[in-house]
Amino acid sequence: MALSRVCWARAAVWGSAVTPGHFVTRRLQLGRSGLAWGGPRSSKLHLSPKADVKNLISYVVTKTKAINGKYHRFLGRHFPRFYVLYTIFTKGFRMLWADAKKARRIKTNMWNHNIEFHQLPYREMEHLRQFRQDVTKCLFLGIISIPPFANYLVFLLMYLFPRQLLIRHFWTPKQQTDFLDIYHAFRKQSHPEIISYLEKVIPLISDTGLRWHLTDLCTKIQHGFHPAIRDILALRECFSNHPLGMNQLQAFHVKALSRAMLLTPYLPPPLLRHRLKTHTTVIHQLDQALAKLGIGQLTAEEVKSACYLRGLNSTHIGEDRCRTWLGEWLQISCSLKAAYYHLEK
């Protein structure tokens, strides 16, 4: 028994060392020849790296839009008030960013072609003026956000005081109407002060005819009559010399005029006077550019905005009446000498 096991073990060892038989060898040869004779393996066609990147970007953008849409629907269902604020702020930042890019494009064109502000077309001039005003208001928020953890307080202040701290892009349509009415009410408060000052300086005017015209004009305004264009143009000499010239005005009159033009009156008199000159010069330059363009080329929104800038509360007035009023304003403004509006060196 033991001898048979030894024989079987020895046979197994020798068998492993024996070369493979004819059948095994032929099978290997056929396997190798099959690999050599067979056709090439099919492989998938790969796109170029640029196409792969474009497809990946398109996929990511599509998924992001889908997730963003789901997020908006979730906010709209569960937090409707917050969703309104979120939508307003999102649109506001987009509009502000678009305004910044347009303002940069205009400034670059001015630098490249050596163009002054008053040489720009009306819409570009108005865009720069409005963008400067918006940026000035945003700078205040940036300054008070500098201290650590102050940004949380800033968000609360923006929510509580949107008229004082936010620009028009972040107002709701109702807030825009309400805030414009509030600002116009501030302007109206300064009108009696301006008329009162004009009546006080009438005796100081040397020309008898000008004194009579100014008295008649003040009387018409106090009784609610709209003065004619010729009545206003007849008094233009009064406002270029003493006592109604820009450099001869009293400090409280300059403050009243600043409030009437929605400029802050809380500055030293020299700065108030300089800012008032700058503001009136810009408006006169806008008037000249608008006269070249033509009122008929403006949209309804542009007409109402132009009227509001010049002192008319256009939020509750029809478009036709606004165009008529703006045409009369341009007739007066373009009849005045540009020297009246130039800043004094």
Side-chain angles (χ1 to χ4, degrees), residues 312-328:
L312 179 68
N313 187 12
S314 55
T315 55
H316 307 288
I317 300 177
E319 179 184 350
D320 294 337
R321 186 181 174 188
C322 289
R323 290 184 184 274
T324 301
W325 186 90
L326 186 58
E328 295 177 354

Side-chain angles (χ1 to χ4, degrees), residues 47-299:
L47 300 176
S48 63
K50 291 185 178 179
D52 290 341
V53 172
K54 289 182 179 179
N55 291 337
L56 178 61
I57 293 176
S58 177
Y59 175 80
V60 172
V61 170
T62 303
K63 286 296 183 180
T64 303
K65 289 182 178 179
I67 295 173
N68 193 33
K70 293 181 180 179
Y71 178 66
H72 281 206
R73 290 190 294 271
F74 172 79
L75 290 179
R77 286 195 305 266
H78 299 281
F79 306 98
R81 295 184 63 182
F82 175 78
Y83 178 69
V84 172
L85 296 176
Y86 172 78
T87 305
I88 293 174
F89 270 82
T90 303
K91 292 181 179 179
F93 278 114
R94 289 176 182 173
M95 289 188 291
L96 182 61
W97 179 248
D99 288 349
K101 291 194 295 185
K102 184 177 180 180
R104 182 182 179 182
R105 186 169 61 251
I106 295 173
K107 294 294 291 185
T108 302
N109 183 58
M110 292 173 62
W111 292 332
N112 293 338
H113 298 86
N114 195 20
I115 300 175
E116 298 294 334
F117 176 78
H118 66 275
Q119 297 174 329
L120 291 172
Y122 171 76
R123 287 190 172 92
E124 293 185 357
M125 195 182 300
E126 171 62 19
H127 183 84
L128 284 183
R129 184 203 66 81
Q130 184 63 53
F131 182 71
R132 290 171 183 171
Q133 181 178 342
D134 294 341
V135 170
T136 303
K137 200 170 185 179
C138 291
L139 283 178
F140 175 73
L141 283 178
I143 293 174
I144 63 177
S145 302
I146 293 176
F149 305 105
N151 51 345
Y152 300 104
L153 177 61
V154 169
F155 283 116
L156 178 62
L157 293 177
M158 287 191 299
Y159 180 78
L160 296 177
F161 306 100
R163 178 178 62 84
Q164 293 86 348
L165 298 179
L166 297 180
I167 60 177
R168 54 194 171 89
H169 294 324
F170 302 98
W171 295 345
T172 64
K174 184 178 183 303
Q175 285 178 334
Q176 291 183 9
T177 303
D178 294 342
F179 294 166
L180 291 179
D181 289 340
I182 292 174
Y183 283 129
H184 186 71
F186 291 157
R187 291 195 294 202
K188 289 175 61 177
Q189 292 176 1
S190 62
H191 292 170
E193 299 180 35
I194 297 174
I195 298 299
S196 176
Y197 181 81
L198 291 177
E199 290 178 333
K200 289 180 180 179
V201 300
I202 286 177
L204 302 178
I205 300 175
S206 57
D207 189 278
T208 305
L210 293 178
R211 285 203 303 269
W212 183 87
H213 277 296
L214 186 57
T215 304
D216 182 63
L217 181 67
C218 292
T219 303
K220 288 181 178 180
I221 293 175
Q222 288 174 337
H223 287 83
F225 291 100
H226 186 68
I229 296 177
R230 62 177 180 273
D231 296 334
I232 298 176
L233 292 178
L235 295 169
R236 52 186 169 184
E237 295 182 4
C238 290
F239 297 92
S240 58
N241 301 311
H242 181 79
L244 294 176
M246 183 65 71
N247 293 327
Q248 288 79 32
L249 294 177
Q250 299 294 327
F252 68 88
H253 193 203
V254 175
K255 290 183 178 180
L257 289 174
S258 298
R259 289 194 299 270
M261 295 186 178
L262 297 179
L263 302 176
T264 177
Y266 307 108
L267 291 175
L271 292 179
L272 278 179
R273 201 181 305 274
H274 174 78
R275 194 175 184 190
L276 192 60
K277 288 180 181 179
T278 303
H279 188 71
T280 53
T281 301
V282 170
I283 291 180
H284 185 62
Q285 292 171 348
L286 285 170
D287 292 340
Q288 292 177 329
L290 180 56
K292 293 179 181 179
L293 177 65
I295 300 178
Q297 301 297 322
L298 299 182
T299 62

